Each structure stands twice: as C-alpha cells, then as structure tokens.
C-alpha cells in the first residue's frame, strides 16, 4: 500500500541546483528506507542514496558524495533530494523507492525495494 510520488524535475542549466521531492504514504512500519535512484536513457537504474528511518541516517553512492543531499520533512511525509552543481551527465529520470523491515546499514540493494514512484525528469544543458 506504500505510494510514492516524485516531483521537482526540470530543465536546468549546468551549474544550477534542484530539489526533488518524494511524497510518500501508506507506511506500515517505522523501519522503512527511502531510496533515490536515477536512470539515464539506455542505461541501468542506479542508486543515488537513501534515508533510513531505523537509525535516522542518510547514505550516498560513493561516486556522488558531495553534490547530493537527502533530507526529510516528516510532518509532510516528504523526502527530498537536493542536487547542487548540476552537470549534463546528471540528466536522467529520478525515482524514489521504499522498502520496509530493513534494519541493515547503508542502502539496500535496488532489488530489495518494493515500491517505486513514477519518476521525474531532470535535464541539464550547457
């Protein structure tokens, strides 16, 4: 019953910033993980990072540390992905996803996520 809806994708000039939103509902457990992924045309969907509710921590793909920040507004059931210093190679559809009963460390593997949003397009031009 978990539902996720992404928004905030846009056409942005290189060097700019975006904040993507993921509004979620239908959570049953308090040990959910919300992950952010991205998929460029013709390429594999890859993890960006995640926020864990069991220990209130955020984690990021090693190659993306520094320009990406995940945060949440619990009152609004929203998780954010802030991207700074956008580059053309950041162009992709960005997805959020959720998995419950995950008490591991860092981010679960992509295959572990049960629920996915529809994605939001980020296009970066020079």
């Amino acid at each position: 019953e978990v539902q996720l809806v992404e928004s905030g994708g846009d056409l942005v000039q290189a060097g700019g910033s975006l904040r993507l939103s993921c509004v979620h509902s239908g959570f049953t457990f308090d040990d959910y993980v919300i992950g952010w992924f991205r998929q460029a045309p013709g390429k594999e969907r890859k993890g960006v990072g995640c926020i864990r509710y069991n220990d209130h921590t955020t984690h990021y793909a090693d190659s993306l540390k520094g320009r990406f920040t995940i945060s949440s507004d619990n009152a609004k059931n929203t998780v954010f992905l802030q991207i700074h210093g956008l580059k053309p190679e950041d162009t992709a559809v960005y997805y959020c996803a959720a998995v419950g009963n995950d008490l591991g460390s860092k981010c679960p593997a992509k295959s572990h996520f049960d629920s996915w949003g529809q994605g939001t397009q980020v296009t970066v031009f020079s």
Side-chain angles (χ1 to χ4, degrees):
E1 296 185 5
V2 174
Q3 303 289 323
L4 306 103
V5 179
E6 305 97 331
S7 63
D10 204 352
L11 179 66
V12 183
Q13 187 174 22
S17 299
L18 276 177
R19 187 176 72 167
L20 310 182
S21 298
C22 173
V23 178
H24 56 85
S25 62
F27 277 34
T28 303
F29 311 103
D30 61 1
D31 56 354
Y32 264 79
V33 179
I34 301 294
W36 282 99
F37 298 80
R38 68 181 186 178
Q39 186 170 23
K43 296 185 178 180
E44 181 184 18
R45 189 174 301 184
K46 295 184 177 180
V48 174
C50 66
I51 181 167
R52 307 189 67 95
Y53 289 94
N54 62 315
D55 58 6
H56 311 286
T57 57
T58 56
H59 308 271
Y60 305 92
D62 289 340
S63 63
L64 300 179
K65 288 182 178 179
R67 297 193 298 114
F68 295 79
T69 303
I70 296 172
S71 60
S72 66
D73 184 338
N74 293 334
K76 297 182 178 180
N77 294 322
T78 303
V79 175
F80 303 101
L81 176 65
Q82 299 175 78
I83 314 173
H84 301 283
L86 281 160
K87 304 175 180 179
E89 52 263 43
D90 294 323
T91 294
V93 177
Y94 285 72
Y95 300 87
C96 61
V99 61
N101 292 323
D102 192 303
L103 298 176
S105 61
K106 299 185 177 180
C107 296
K110 180 175 62 178
S111 61
H112 291 180
F113 286 86
D114 299 315
S115 302
W116 293 81
Q118 82 289 350
T120 185
Q121 177 71 50
V122 173
T123 302
V124 184
F125 65 93
S126 300

